[in-house]
């Protein structure tokens, strides 16, 4: 039976492969609908795009990672055992916004994304009881239904309600790393020295030059 790291690397790669295949299927179905509407066959060649950053390194290509997931996982386990594991450089990927402009995200290699998810799940499991009971984001023990029910209880019987919506521009990228380190060093927060090193490795990993705005899928 695969260990956690091997399974996580495979599942992360498989998730991205399925997403790409879904895009290709949607492209094919859309093409068929256009042909039916126009009554004219479209050119036989169709372009199935891939994210530009896949070309930066094989580690970004989920098809390659899925095929080599066992050897990739072995390398990660070996470096983790010696305490030398650090995520590889991420790519700054720009995605067009519907209202104009672009949003930048840091995309790590597939295996590193899998490790990030494992670390997140582990830290959440150990520290769930220390989170604010009204915090609902990124949690498995609470859902949007809990948020709605809690909000309903808060506003029940009130005569007047004020609702404010905030859009914090580049919120996550603007968080000071010193503040993150301060939180991680808080004795009330459960994590090991190796987990701290891994988290800080993701925060401080180099970012490659941003790609042009994506037209991928």
């Amino acid at each position: 039976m695969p260990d956690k790291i091997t399974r996580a690397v495979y599942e992360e790669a498989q998730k991205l492969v399925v997403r790409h295949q879904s895009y290709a299927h949607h492209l094919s179905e859309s093409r068929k609908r256009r042909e039916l509407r126009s009554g004219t066959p479209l050119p036989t060649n169709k372009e199935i795009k891939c994210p530009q950053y896949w070309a930066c390194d094989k580690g970004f290509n989920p098809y390659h990672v899925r095929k080599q997931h066992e050897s990739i996982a072995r390398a990660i386990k070996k470096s983790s055992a010696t305490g030398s594991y650090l995520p590889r450089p991420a790519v700054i990927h720009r995605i067009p916004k519907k209202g104009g402009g672009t949003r930048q995200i840091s995309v790590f290699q597939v295996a590193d994304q899998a490790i990030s998810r494992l670390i997140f799940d582990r830290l959440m499991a150990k520290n769930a009881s220390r989170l604010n009971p009204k915090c609902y984001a990124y949690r498995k023990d609470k859902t949007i239904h809990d948020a709605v029910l809690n909000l309903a209880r808060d506003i029940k019987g009130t005569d007047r309600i004020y609702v404010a919506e905030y859009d914090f521009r580049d919120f996550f990228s603007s968080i000071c790393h010193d503040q993150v380190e301060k939180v991680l060093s808080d004795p009330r927060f459960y994590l090991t020295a190796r987990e701290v090193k891994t988290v800080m490795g993701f925060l401080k990993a180099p970012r490659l030059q941003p790609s042009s705005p994506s037209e991928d899928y």
Side-chain angles (χ1 to χ4, degrees):
M1 182 176 179
D3 58 88
K4 285 186 178 180
I5 292 180
T6 303
R7 184 169 61 250
V9 172
Y10 176 84
E11 289 177 351
E12 186 68 24
Q14 178 65 9
K15 178 187 72 176
L16 297 173
V17 165
V18 169
R19 183 181 300 171
H20 185 254
Q21 290 176 339
S22 176
Y23 146 75
H25 176 72
H26 175 76
L27 189 67
S28 176
E29 292 299 307
S30 177
R31 175 191 176 87
K32 291 177 182 177
R33 288 193 295 269
R34 291 199 305 271
E35 287 181 339
L36 288 173
R37 287 196 301 266
S38 65
T40 305
L42 297 175
T44 55
N45 58 323
K46 62 177 180 180
E47 182 183 6
I48 298 178
K49 297 179 180 180
C50 296
Q52 296 176 353
Y53 53 83
W54 284 16
C56 295
D57 189 282
K58 289 181 179 179
F60 289 102
N61 188 323
Y63 292 93
H64 169 78
V65 175
R66 185 178 64 174
K67 183 178 180 180
Q68 302 293 333
H69 75 280
E70 292 184 342
S71 59
I72 292 172
R74 279 197 299 271
I76 293 176
K77 286 182 285 186
K78 184 177 180 180
S79 62
S80 296
T82 60
S84 60
Y85 168 77
L86 285 174
R88 284 146 290 195
V91 169
I92 299 177
H93 191 49
R94 295 190 295 170
I95 302 175
K97 293 183 178 179
K98 291 182 179 180
T102 60
R103 181 177 75 254
Q104 289 192 165
I105 59 173
S106 294
V107 180
F108 285 89
Q109 293 191 20
V110 177
D112 292 323
Q113 292 184 50
I115 298 301
S116 173
R117 190 174 301 277
L118 281 178
I119 292 293
F120 171 78
D121 289 342
R122 187 184 305 165
L123 294 183
M124 286 294 289
K126 292 194 293 185
N127 295 280
S129 62
R130 286 160 177 75
L131 297 177
N132 189 305
K134 293 187 178 181
C135 173
Y136 302 96
Y138 309 108
R139 297 181 64 169
K140 292 183 177 180
D141 59 328
K142 290 182 180 291
T143 68
I144 186 62
H145 300 291
D146 295 305
V148 172
L149 290 173
N150 188 64
L151 179 61
R153 284 194 294 266
D154 286 347
I155 65 177
K156 186 177 181 179
T158 57
D159 297 326
R160 181 174 296 178
I161 302 170
Y162 295 92
V163 178
E165 181 178 358
Y166 297 90
D167 183 6
F168 293 98
R169 182 177 180 181
D170 296 330
F171 174 74
F172 289 107
S173 61
S174 66
I175 298 176
C176 179
H177 287 181
D178 291 341
Q179 176 63 24
V180 176
E181 291 188 66
K182 182 180 178 181
V183 172
L184 295 179
S185 62
D186 190 320
R188 294 172 297 177
F189 194 61
Y190 293 155
L191 74 172
T192 65
R194 184 172 296 180
E195 289 168 343
V196 172
K197 181 180 179 181
T198 302
V199 172
M200 295 309 300
F202 277 99
L203 291 175
K204 297 180 178 181
R207 266 58 172 175
L208 304 180
Q209 290 297 320
S211 62
S212 58
S214 171
E215 296 180 356
D216 305 325
Y217 57 91

